[in-house]
């Protein structure tokens, strides 16, 4: 592990639950994961809430373009391209 650690950005659009689950899986693979919600506000249901809570506990950074996404840091769309160049992989969902 150690040197193999990758910085991964997960872009959440229309498949929110799948994107959050994938983010959790990548963290368990010892990657550094950041989640960017670029779509509608995250639907609050048991599965998404558990995923978000788990990501927060694992120090995953969560960004959203939506003010209402609880637990996410606000980011504006214009700032996202500059952020994404910091990552080894960008995974859209």
């Amino acid at each position: 592990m150690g040197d193999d650690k990758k910085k991964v950005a997960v872009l959440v659009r229309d498949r929110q639950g799948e994107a959050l689950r994938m983010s959790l899986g990548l963290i368990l693979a010892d990657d550094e994961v950041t989640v960017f919600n670029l779509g509608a506000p995250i639907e609050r249901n048991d599965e998404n809430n558990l995923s978000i809570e788990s990501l927060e506990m694992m120090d995953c950074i969560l960004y959203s373009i939506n003010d209402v996404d609880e637990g996410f840091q606000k980011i504006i769309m214009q700032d996202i391209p500059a952020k994404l160049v910091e990552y080894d992989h960008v995974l859209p969902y």
Side-chain angles (χ1 to χ4, degrees):
M1 305 217 180
D3 291 348
D4 297 334
K5 190 173 193 170
K6 300 290 184 193
K7 288 185 72 171
V8 180
V10 176
L11 308 181
V12 182
R13 294 184 297 190
D14 55 341
R15 297 185 292 170
Q16 295 177 344
E18 189 174 342
L20 295 171
R21 280 192 308 276
M22 175 59 75
S23 300
L24 281 171
L26 290 167
I27 285 177
L28 294 176
D30 203 28
D31 289 325
E32 183 181 323
V33 178
T34 302
V35 175
F36 294 83
N37 180 22
L38 307 180
I42 297 291
E43 180 182 342
R44 289 300 179 161
N45 57 41
D46 290 344
E47 183 181 346
N48 286 350
N49 289 342
L50 179 61
S51 294
I52 291 168
E53 183 179 319
S54 299
L55 289 166
E56 289 175 328
M57 287 187 331
M58 294 181 210
D59 297 325
C60 177
I61 298 172
L62 305 167
Y63 289 109
S64 178
I65 61 169
N66 303 297
D67 290 326
V68 297
D69 279 333
E70 215 173 291
F72 287 69
Q73 298 176 39
K74 174 74 174 160
I75 191 168
I76 60 173
M77 193 67 90
Q78 291 83 354
D79 291 343
I80 293 172
K83 282 274 189 203
L84 293 181
V85 298
E86 301 171 8
Y87 293 88
D88 298 306
H89 302 284
V90 177
L91 305 173
Y93 278 88

